[in-house]
Amino acid sequence: MATGVNCRSCGHAGLKPVLDLGRTPLADRLVSAAQLAEQEPAYPLQVAFCSQCSLLQIIETVPPEVLFCEDYPYYSSFSDALLRHSRDNVLDLIRRRDLGSQSLAVELASNDGYLLKNYVEAGIPVLGIDPAEGPAREAEKIGVRTLNTFFTVELAKRLAAEGRQADVIHGNNVLAHVADTNGFVGGIATLLKDGGVAVIEVPYVKDLIDHREFDTIYHEHLCYFSVTALDHLFRRHGLYLNEVKRLSIHGGSLRLYVEKVERVGPSMQELLALEAAERVDRIDFYHDFARRVEHLKAELLVLLRGLKADGRTIAAYGAAAKGATLINYVGIGRDLVDFVVDRNIHKQGKYMPGQHLPIFGPEKLLEAQPDFVLLLAWNFATEIIEQQAEYARRGGRFIVPVPVPRVV
Ligand SMILES: [Zn+2]
């Protein structure tokens, strides 16, 4: 049965449903104490597959002004692993592309300048573009020039007309967030110099499905990309996905090197062949995903309820969007988890969407010393476990929920 909406990429009308996560609150909309009594906005969250261009996507589009408001609480600089990852990426590009004071590096969704600051330090001009006011202000403070607005093809045309085309365009975890997918990619084609490169990171749909990472599905993430789907999308705009790297960050991502000239390299050919072999470009690959996700929910509930029945206390780590998806879909309330901790001071003192678990700073783990900590931010498990060595030394244990719930 088709869903009645058109594909975000190719416009095909026959999208096939894959997974329904129900009506859920917005995963990044943390609740303040004053808002606890109010009704939270909730929207359907259904995933569907396009058999024409093989793009996995959600059906509902929540207006961006609702999703990415001034209160948008994500600040990239709160993760050490992400900072290292970004710095290595930039240094590699400066060397490979021979960038200098005449070059321009642009980042779309530049957040607090966590990535572009590496160019600034190397004397390379930058321009950040980000609609979230708080992070954009922080970026300006560290010398990262930032346009506080959405990236559109109109903005790209204006910049190009002003002679501000880019040698490198970064877009990390933003392509899946934009409602006008074709407008965004068309904007990249307009803003990029003929010899330039767009370096784009997206979560990889094959990792999502293989490892049951259903909690990376929320209203902000409109698309879940395969290389096959991306290839269709870029070619529509005269851009070529020539090189691709698989990365472990965020549970499995792709780093795409996109140019205006076609010179498809072996890394791209290999991944296209892998996707064809595993039928990532066919609905078969997604068929039992919903059933596997229901299993994970049941397994996690058995684990948590068993611990509670034994009189154990449980807290959670990571007030990020994926954590909100997980606790709301699985149904983890105050009866199972006492509180959530997060390093981001902008989140502390607020409550998780839907389940209203209170959020504290990580020091709360040593104060309360719960028996177990559920790692909602399992994509940063190594980093978090390292930082919480003292909690572990005092006997605390960690629960990793995905792909198989387990105590580590
Ligand atoms: Zn399509």
Side-chain angles (χ1 to χ4, degrees):
M1 199 178 64
T3 56
V5 297
N6 293 351
C7 173
R8 298 176 181 279
S9 179
C10 75
H12 178 60
L15 297 183
K16 301 282 199 307
V18 165
L19 174 69
D20 188 349
L21 291 170
R23 279 184 79 84
T24 68
L26 299 178
D28 255 327
R29 188 184 177 279
L30 300 180
V31 178
S32 67
Q35 291 169 324
L36 279 175
E38 294 171 12
Q39 179 81 23
E40 281 178 78
Y43 299 85
L45 190 52
Q46 294 177 74
V47 185
F49 179 75
C50 174
S51 53
Q52 188 106 326
C53 74
S54 73
L55 179 63
L56 192 71
Q57 55 202 283
I58 64 169
I59 303 295
E60 185 87 11
T61 303
V62 178
E65 58 275 18
V66 177
L67 279 179
F68 305 103
C69 54
E70 185 180 2
D71 289 340
Y72 188 61
Y74 188 73
Y75 287 73
S76 303
S77 293
F78 281 96
S79 165
D80 298 334
L82 186 66
L83 290 179
R84 274 196 305 275
H85 170 88
S86 306
R87 181 171 173 76
D88 292 346
N89 183 15
V90 168
L91 295 181
D92 174 60
L93 281 162
I94 291 175
R95 198 175 55 242
R96 282 170 58 186
R97 314 288 298 195
D98 200 19
L99 302 175
S101 58
Q102 302 303 309
S103 311
L104 176 64
V106 173
E107 186 179 16
L108 313 177
S110 47
N111 200 267
D112 55 12
Y114 72 102
L115 181 142
L116 288 178
K117 70 175 181 184
N118 295 298
Y119 287 103
V120 173
E121 284 166 11
I124 297 164
V126 301
L127 180 66
I129 301 171
D130 199 300
E133 282 177 34
R137 268 198 305 272
E138 294 299 315
E140 287 280 353
K141 282 185 200 163
I142 58 165
V144 173
R145 273 195 69 197
T146 304
L147 292 175
N148 186 206
T149 184
F150 286 98
F151 178 68
T152 60
V153 72
E154 287 73 29
L155 177 61
K157 282 179 185 159
R158 187 163 64 84
L159 291 170
E162 290 169 2
R164 292 203 276 174
Q165 276 186 307
D167 295 271
V168 180
I169 298 176
H170 286 276
N172 291 344
N173 298 303
V174 59
L175 185 58
H177 293 61
V178 291
D180 182 6
T181 310
N182 283 293
F184 193 85
V185 175
I188 290 175
T190 303
L191 186 59
L192 196 62
K193 280 184 190 167
D194 283 347
V197 62
V199 184
I200 295 165
E201 291 182 21
V202 295
Y204 188 22
V205 73
K206 184 170 147 46
D207 290 317
L208 187 166
I209 301 292
D210 285 347
H211 305 128
R212 298 200 292 188
E213 297 167 358
F214 73 95
D215 54 343
T216 59
I217 298 168
Y218 41 86
H219 295 101
E220 285 174 19
H221 283 169
L222 303 169
C223 300
Y224 303 84
F225 292 108
S226 63
V227 168
T228 310
L230 288 161
D231 198 39
H232 286 296
L233 172 60
F234 287 122
R235 281 176 186 268
R236 196 175 301 127
H237 299 278
L239 294 170
Y240 299 92
L241 176 45
N242 289 330
E243 195 189 335
V244 59
K245 283 184 188 165
R246 286 185 78 169
L247 309 169
S248 60
I249 197 161
H250 301 308
S253 296
L254 298 172
R255 180 180 290 157
L256 318 165
Y257 295 85
V258 176
E259 296 169 293
K260 289 187 170 179
V261 286
E262 184 173 10
R263 47 179 167 213
V264 178
S267 58
M268 180 60 184
Q269 288 162 349
E270 280 164 25
L271 261 189
L272 282 173
L274 174 74
E275 290 188 358
E278 299 206 8
R279 299 176 77 77
V280 178
D281 56 343
R282 309 296 291 268
I283 184 81
D284 329 5
F285 183 71
Y286 308 88
H287 259 147
D288 67 345
F289 184 55
R291 188 183 52 76
R292 291 168 57 225
V293 169
E294 280 164 26
H295 274 199
L296 189 153
K297 172 180 176 173
E299 290 159 10
L300 184 56
L301 281 174
V302 164
L303 174 63
L304 297 177
R305 285 174 180 157
L307 293 172
K308 289 302 282 186
D310 285 346
R312 306 305 183 92
T313 52
I314 308 170
Y317 196 112
K322 66 154 52 71
T325 302
L326 189 133
I327 62 167
N328 284 312
Y329 172 71
V330 177
I332 300 173
R334 295 288 288 268
D335 55 326
L336 293 173
V337 164
D338 297 329
F339 58 87
V340 179
V341 299
D342 198 291
R343 277 175 87 186
N344 186 336
I345 50 170
H346 304 277
K347 297 180 178 181
Q348 296 164 12
K350 295 192 172 172
Y351 298 80
M352 293 296 279
Q355 297 289 346
H356 293 179
L357 303 171
I359 302 165
F360 297 97
E363 63 281 1
K364 178 84 175 171
L365 290 183
L366 291 182
E367 286 167 34
Q369 192 65 34
D371 297 311
F372 292 87
V373 170
L374 173 64
L375 290 176
L376 299 173
W378 49 260
N379 49 326
F380 294 117
T382 310
E383 181 178 355
I384 293 166
I385 292 171
E386 258 172 41
Q387 284 163 5
Q388 296 306 323
E390 178 60 17
Y391 162 76
R393 200 190 60 77
R394 296 184 191 179
R397 306 286 304 272
F398 297 94
I399 301 167
V400 177
V402 172
V404 178
R406 63 201 186 279
V407 175
V408 296

